[in-house]
């Protein structure tokens, strides 16, 4: 049974680690069981949608902060930090922006105004901002590792640097993160991310951390030693690392259901242990916490159970493994 002093939140606090989850507004508003587990287990939260460009500026010059303000207020009332997510992405871009032709100057003005307005609105209230999300392509295309987006096409590769500078202008105190998937271990994509952020640091761009989304699978998870090495080299650049969106697919793995659960449990155990051992790993978040709120089954069209709690909010083996890891030397 989970006691008040042996849940994730209390144990992580002793280890000086922020532990949290992505959160959707609907269950936060309507589901008492969701609310109870969230408040008990976590001390940092990320809104899964309501702070994205499309949600905050659905019409040009018309900002709607109501849902996001409510989210921040609920988190504050329950002593939870908030990660802002996100300012610049190729998804969740409003219709008015994608269905017009813009000059580079116009796009620069639109993006700068959006970042200044949003970051300024939450100045002094957030623990971090994911400034740029998923700007590095999965595959090298003609020597180009930047993802093809409206921002790359319309402004050029300098949009990444500009976004960080504008966010820092709007709130000089909030840590600013680059967030991406598939670059957690060692390999071509993590090398491309490392090269990009190293150059940004050399140019004195105000970037303070890297978000490892950690959407992984039991089929071929990144090796713990590779994640540790990647965290170390990023730390040598003066950067924090946060695990920002972790979940562990099991539908594409092999073995019996029990073997898949055991493999999933080991992945959660390994990644949390790596984070705890890295001096620059400051937060560990899953992307939602109960299986029925996961994006994975709908996206892949396969049943899955990738999170630490089941559909009845009962803690699973992965949850208990994370508790065990947090208890070591605590």
């Amino acid at each position: 049974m989970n006691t008040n002093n042996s849940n994730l939140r209390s144990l992580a606090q002793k280890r000086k680690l922020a532990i949290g989850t992505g959160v959707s507004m609907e269950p936060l508003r309507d589901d008492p069981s969701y609310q109870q587990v969230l408040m008990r287990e976590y001390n940092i939260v990320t809104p899964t949608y309501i702070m994205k460009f499309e949600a905050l500026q659905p019409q040009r010059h018309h900002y709607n902060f109501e849902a996001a303000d409510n989210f921040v207020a609920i988190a504050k009332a329950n002593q939870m930090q908030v990660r802002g997510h996100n300012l610049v992405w190729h998804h969740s871009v409003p219709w008015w922006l994608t269905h017009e032709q813009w000059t580079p100057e116009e796009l620069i003005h639109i993006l700068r105004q959006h970042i200044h307005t949003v970051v300024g609105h939450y100045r002094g209230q957030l623990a971090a901002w994911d400034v740029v999300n998923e700007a590095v392509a999965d595959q090298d295309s003609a020597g180009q590792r930047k993802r093809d987006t409206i921002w790359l096409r319309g402004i050029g590769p300098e949009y990444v640097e500009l976004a960080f500078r504008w966010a820092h202008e709007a709130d000089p105190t909030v840590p600013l993160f680059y967030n991406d998937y598939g670059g957690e271990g060692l390999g071509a994509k993590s090398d491309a991310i490392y090269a990009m952020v190293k150059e940004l640091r050399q140019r004195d761009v105000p970037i303070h951390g890297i978000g490892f989304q950690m959407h992984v699978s039991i089929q071929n998870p990144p090796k713990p030693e590779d994640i540790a090495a990647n965290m170390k080299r990023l730390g040598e650049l003066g950067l924090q690392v946060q695990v920002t969106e972790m979940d562990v697919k099991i539908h594409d793995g092999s073995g019996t259901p029990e073997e898949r659960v055991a493999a999933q449990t080991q992945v959660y155990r390994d990644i949390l242990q790596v984070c705890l051992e890295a001096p620059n790993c400051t937060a560990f978040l899953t992307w939602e916490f109960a299986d029925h709120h996961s994006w994975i089954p709908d996206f892949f069209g396969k049943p899955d159970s990738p999170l630490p709690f089941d559909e009845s909010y009962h803690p699973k083996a992965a949850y208990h493994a994370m508790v065990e890891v947090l208890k070591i030397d605590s």
Side-chain angles (χ1 to χ4, degrees), residues 152-192:
L152 181 67
R153 293 190 301 271
I155 297 174
E158 62 269 27
Y159 83 88
V160 174
E161 175 177 338
L162 291 171
F164 279 95
R165 294 196 184 279
W166 294 331
H168 187 67
E169 289 170 2
D171 186 350
T173 65
V174 66
L176 305 178
F177 279 71
Y178 173 76
N179 191 52
D180 211 333
Y181 66 88
E184 296 88 1
L186 296 177
K189 186 165 184 178
S190 66
D191 287 348

Side-chain angles (χ1 to χ4, degrees), residues 101-110 153-156 158 166:
Q101 295 294 319
W102 308 98
T103 67
E105 293 75 17
E106 287 171 328
L107 266 186
I108 287 172
H109 175 75
I110 288 168
R153 293 190 301 271
I155 297 174
E158 62 269 27
W166 294 331

Side-chain angles (χ1 to χ4, degrees), residues 28-29 39 54 82 129 152 158 202 206 216 232 239 315:
L28 180 62
R29 183 183 62 239
M39 309 311 176
E54 178 182 56
V82 176
W129 265 110
L152 181 67
E158 62 269 27
Q202 290 171 340
V216 299
K232 183 175 186 293
L239 294 168

Side-chain angles (χ1 to χ4, degrees), residues 12-28:
Q13 186 171 331
K14 293 177 184 176
R15 304 294 297 270
K16 296 180 170 54
L17 177 71
I19 194 153
T21 180
V23 174
S24 301
M25 279 303 294
E26 184 176 351
L28 180 62

Side-chain angles (χ1 to χ4, degrees), residues 26-252:
E26 184 176 351
L28 180 62
R29 183 183 62 239
D30 301 332
D31 186 342
S33 296
Y34 184 99
Q35 298 159 13
Q36 182 181 29
V37 175
L38 177 68
M39 309 311 176
R40 184 186 70 219
E41 299 290 342
Y42 300 110
N43 60 22
I44 188 168
V45 287
T46 301
T48 57
Y49 174 72
I50 56 174
M51 284 188 178
K52 291 172 178 171
F53 202 132
E54 178 182 56
L56 289 182
Q57 195 181 171
Q59 301 173 39
R60 191 175 185 189
H61 304 306
H62 175 73
Y63 291 86
N64 183 358
F65 288 107
E66 182 179 2
D69 285 353
N70 288 340
F71 184 94
V72 172
I74 292 169
K76 183 177 181 181
N78 290 277
Q79 294 81 51
M80 294 187 294
Q81 300 179 77
V82 176
R83 299 186 80 260
H85 178 79
N86 54 53
L87 296 170
V88 187
W89 193 29
H90 58 284
H91 288 308
S92 297
V93 180
W95 184 92
W96 62 264
L97 185 55
T98 59
H99 285 71
E100 293 285 345
Q101 295 294 319
W102 308 98
T103 67
E105 293 75 17
E106 287 171 328
L107 266 186
I108 287 172
H109 175 75
I110 288 168
L111 189 56
R112 180 174 57 226
Q113 181 186 55
H114 181 81
I115 291 173
H116 276 172
T117 301
V118 172
V119 177
H121 183 84
Y122 292 106
R123 181 175 174 135
Q125 299 182 65
L126 304 188
W129 265 110
D130 288 331
V131 177
V132 178
N133 202 53
E134 301 174 3
V136 174
D138 295 339
Q139 303 293 331
D140 191 302
S141 177
Q144 172 63 264
R145 287 301 306 222
K146 291 288 196 303
R147 184 182 296 277
D148 180 25
T149 72
I150 183 175
W151 311 113
L152 181 67
R153 293 190 301 271
I155 297 174
E158 62 269 27
Y159 83 88
V160 174
E161 175 177 338
L162 291 171
F164 279 95
R165 294 196 184 279
W166 294 331
H168 187 67
E169 289 170 2
D171 186 350
T173 65
V174 66
L176 305 178
F177 279 71
Y178 173 76
N179 191 52
D180 211 333
Y181 66 88
E184 296 88 1
L186 296 177
K189 186 165 184 178
S190 66
D191 287 348
I193 293 170
Y194 176 80
M196 179 182 72
V197 299
K198 182 179 181 180
E199 181 181 356
L200 292 175
R201 294 288 286 179
Q202 290 171 340
R203 295 169 59 83
D204 293 321
V205 175
I207 177 173
H208 308 110
I210 304 300
F212 289 177
Q213 291 183 15
M214 208 69 71
H215 296 298
V216 299
S217 167
I218 63 170
Q219 185 181 41
N220 187 28
K223 297 177 181 177
E225 59 268 29
D226 289 352
I227 299 170
N230 198 17
M231 287 184 177
K232 183 175 186 293
R233 66 175 177 174
L234 291 167
E236 290 167 352
L237 296 179
L239 294 168
Q240 295 181 50
V241 174
Q242 296 186 350
V243 176
T244 56
E245 306 182 19
M246 186 169 176
D247 41 37
V248 184
K249 297 196 302 291
I250 64 172
H251 76 258
D252 55 354

